[in-house]
Amino acid sequence: MINKQLTKKQAEIFHYIEKFQKQKNYSPALGNIANYFDVSIPTIHEHVNYLEKKGYLKKQKGKKCSIQPIKNNREKDLINIPILGTIAAGQPIEAIEIPDGFVTIAKDEIKSSEKYYALRAMGDSMIEDGVFNGDMVVIREQKTADNGQMIVAIVDENQATLKRIYYEKNRIRLQPANQTLLPFYRTEVEIRGVVEKIIRNPNNDIKETGKKENLIVKHLIKNSEIISLKRTHKINSPKKNIEIYHGDALEILDKEINYKFDMIYLDPPFATGRDFKYQATANEIEFTDKWEGNSYEIWLDNLISRLKKVLKKDGNLFFHISAELSSTPQKVLQKHFKKVEPIFWKKAHGKNTVKNKLGSVVDIIFKASEEKSYFKLIYEPLDEFYFENSYRNKDKIGLYALGSLVHDKTRSGYKYNIEHNGVSYGNLYGWKKKKEEILKLIKEDKIHFGKPTNGKPPRLYKKLYKHECKGKPLSNLWTDIAYITRNQQDKRLYPTQKPIELLKRLIEIGCKSNGVILDPVAGSGTTGAAAVELKRNVVLIDKNNEAVRIMKKRLNIIS
C-alpha cells in the first residue's frame, strides 16, 4: 500500500504507471497518463516530478517512455508524527491537546533536529492556501515566525487558530486565505509552531458536473516556510471556445496555460478600501478591496509583469480603473509597456448623493501595448440632424458635403497652386494633401470647385459622399455606453460588473478575428459573454466561488 505522504491523486497515478508497465512491458508517456486522468500534461508532469523526488519513480533523460516505478519504494525510511487534535481554520477554538494517533511521512520531509506534531484542520478559512476541512497540517514546534508564515496562533486566553501572521504597526494581523473572511487583529499572539507540510484528506477530492476535476497542489518550501499551496481546477465547458478556471490566476498561468493571448482585459481590485457583497442585504462579505502601505502596487506590479509574458507582441492589455484611483496603475503599466493610452468612459450622469466631493462619473481604461499592436478603428453614428442636413450638394454620384483641403494659420501644409479652367487655386498656409493626390481627385471628379465670394479667392473642397459615410471615428472619450442598471437586457449579477457593450467595443478595437482573450479576474464573466457574441476564444479565471458560479450560469444561459 502506498505511504500516507502521497495524495489520493498521486497514489492513483503511481498505481496506473505500475499497472501499465506490467501489462505492456514498457512505461507510459506523459500523454498516456494525461489522457487516462483527463488532465493536462503539465499537471501530470508535476505529479511525476513529485513521485520521482520522493523515490517512487525514476526517469531516464532523453527517452520518451522512461518512467520506471521503484520496487523498493515501500521500504523508505518513515517517521510517525503524533496527531494532537484539531485546529480551527476559521473562528478560534479552545486549544486542548488530545492525542489521536500518528501520521506517517518520510524522514527526508522534515528536519530531524526539530520537534513536530500534526493537527487536523477544521473549517474553510485557509482554503485559498490549500488547507481544506479535514486536511492534516504538520507543524514545526517553535515560538517565533517570520512575516507571512502560516502558524498555529493562540489568542484570547487559550483560543487556537490557523492563520498567516503579519506584523503591523502597534498590532498583529492574523490573515485567513479566504476572500469571504476578514482578518483578526491582536496586540499579543502566542505562536505554537509554523506549518511545514499539508497532507490532503482523500475525501477532499473536489467534484464538478459529475466528473473529477484537475487538482493541483503546489508545495514549495523555502527556508522552512510554505510559500504557496493552492487549489486550481478547470471547469468542464460544453463550448470549445471558452475555458473557465477556478483558482489563482498566477498559478493557473504557470501550470495550465502554454500559449499567448491576443488581448487581456483586466478589471482588478482598485484599492478602494471597501468590502463588497453580492447583495446589499447579505451578512457576509464576499470579497474585500483593502490594502496597506504599498502592498497594492507591489501586487499589481507582479501581476502585470506576469500577464505581459502571456501577451502576444502585437497584443493589447486593457486595464480598467476608477479615474480617481488611476495613478498607481498608470505608473505600473508605463514601467512594463511602451505605449499606455487612456480611454475615458463616462459611466454615469451626475450624482445627486454627493455632498463633500465631486461626483465620480468617469472610469479610465488604459490600452497598454508595444509600439506595433493590433488596432481596428470603428465608427460612431453621426448626429441624425447633422447627418440629414450636411449633404446639400449633388452630382452624378450622389449627395455630398464639403471637406476642407487647406490648413489654417496654426499649421503649415504643402505649398503649390492648382490651375483649373483658367482659375488658379492656392492657399497662404498650404494644402493638407500633396499635389498629385489633388490632381488624382480632380480626375475622378471628387473635387468641388468653389467660386470667389466677398472678394476672397475661390477654394477647393473634397466631396464627402453621404453613401460613403461610415460615421464619426471613435475617440478616446466614450459617452454612449451606460452603466448597468436594473434592466433585463444586461442584468446586474456582480458588484463590479461592467456592461457587455463596453467589453464588445474593447474586443472590436483590440482583438483580431478568431483571437484569444484572457480575463484573469473574470467576475461575472462579461468578457466571456462578449467574446462569445463576437466569435472570439476566451479564457476566464476567478478564485471566488460565487463568481465562478455566476459565470458558469451566465454562460450556460447564453449557450
Side-chain angles (χ1 to χ4, degrees), residues 74-120:
R74 296 166 178 82
E75 301 170 4
K76 290 169 64 67
D77 290 333
L78 304 175
I79 187 171
N80 290 330
I81 302 294
I83 302 171
L84 298 185
T86 60
I87 180 74
Q91 294 293 328
I93 60 173
E94 186 176 0
I96 302 175
E97 291 188 7
I98 304 176
D100 185 25
F102 298 89
V103 58
T104 304
I105 64 174
K107 284 184 178 179
D108 59 6
E109 292 280 312
I110 60 175
K111 294 180 179 180
S112 59
S113 60
E114 305 287 349
K115 290 184 179 181
Y116 294 86
Y117 61 93
L119 296 169
R120 187 172 284 104

Side-chain angles (χ1 to χ4, degrees), residues 302-532:
N302 182 45
L303 177 62
I304 296 299
S305 175
R306 185 64 186 87
L307 291 177
K308 187 181 178 183
K309 292 177 182 178
V310 296
L311 184 66
K312 291 181 180 179
K313 288 184 178 180
D314 63 344
N316 295 293
L317 184 149
F318 291 99
F319 188 106
H320 196 133
I321 190 73
S322 175
E324 61 267 27
L325 299 171
S326 62
S327 59
T328 296
Q330 185 173 20
K331 173 184 173 183
V332 173
L333 289 169
Q334 288 175 336
K335 173 183 174 182
H336 293 281
F337 291 94
K338 291 182 180 179
K339 292 174 64 177
V340 179
E341 305 166 274
I343 298 169
F344 301 92
W345 172 44
K346 184 181 178 183
K347 60 185 179 181
H349 299 293
K351 299 183 177 181
N352 296 322
T353 56
V354 294
K355 295 181 179 180
N356 301 314
K357 66 171 188 175
L358 298 175
S360 177
V361 299
V362 175
D363 277 2
I364 293 179
I365 305 166
F366 289 110
K367 179 181 178 291
S369 64
E370 296 306 301
E371 288 293 343
K372 295 182 179 180
S373 65
Y374 175 83
F375 175 73
K376 179 184 177 182
L377 180 62
I378 61 177
Y379 296 84
E380 297 178 277
L382 291 172
D383 176 81
E384 187 175 345
F385 179 83
Y386 171 84
F387 185 71
E388 293 300 328
N389 291 277
S390 295
Y391 300 90
R392 298 182 176 183
N393 303 285
K394 187 176 181 179
D395 63 9
K396 61 183 179 180
I397 298 176
L399 294 170
Y400 65 88
L402 303 180
S404 174
L405 288 170
V406 298
H407 283 298
D408 58 23
K409 61 182 179 181
T410 61
R411 299 183 64 182
S412 178
Y414 300 101
K415 300 292 181 66
Y416 56 84
N417 280 7
I418 294 289
E419 307 293 333
H420 183 75
N421 291 340
V423 179
S424 180
Y425 296 86
N427 181 56
L428 179 62
Y429 304 108
W431 303 87
K432 293 180 179 179
K433 294 181 179 292
K434 295 179 181 179
K435 187 173 184 177
E436 53 267 30
E437 294 179 87
I438 300 288
L439 294 175
K440 183 174 181 294
L441 290 171
I442 292 174
K443 187 176 181 181
E444 295 172 348
D445 194 22
K446 292 183 178 180
I447 292 294
H448 176 93
F449 294 90
K451 298 179 180 179
T453 55
N454 299 324
K456 293 183 179 179
R459 299 180 66 176
L460 298 184
Y461 298 91
K462 181 182 177 181
K463 296 178 180 179
L464 304 176
Y465 289 99
K466 185 177 182 179
H467 66 274
E468 293 179 346
C469 179
K470 297 178 181 179
K472 181 173 64 175
L474 187 67
S475 71
N476 66 352
L477 175 60
W478 298 357
T479 62
D480 59 326
I481 299 176
Y483 200 68
I484 295 175
T485 56
R486 296 178 181 177
N487 61 64
Q488 294 302 313
Q489 285 74 30
D490 197 3
K491 189 175 181 180
R492 185 168 185 171
L493 305 169
Y494 195 78
T496 58
Q497 183 178 335
K498 303 302 184 292
I500 192 170
E501 292 302 321
L502 181 69
L503 269 298
K504 284 167 63 178
R505 179 172 291 180
L506 292 172
I507 291 171
E508 283 185 305
I509 68 174
C511 181
K512 61 189 72 171
S513 298
N514 297 318
V516 187
I517 302 166
L518 169 66
D519 189 336
V521 280
S524 64
T526 302
T527 304
V532 168

Side-chain angles (χ1 to χ4, degrees), residues 201-218:
N201 177 356
N203 294 324
N204 279 341
D205 275 0
I206 306 160
K207 304 283 182 176
E208 184 73 45
T209 61
K211 296 183 179 180
K212 289 185 178 180
E213 292 178 347
N214 174 22
L215 186 66
I216 299 173
V217 178
K218 184 179 180 182

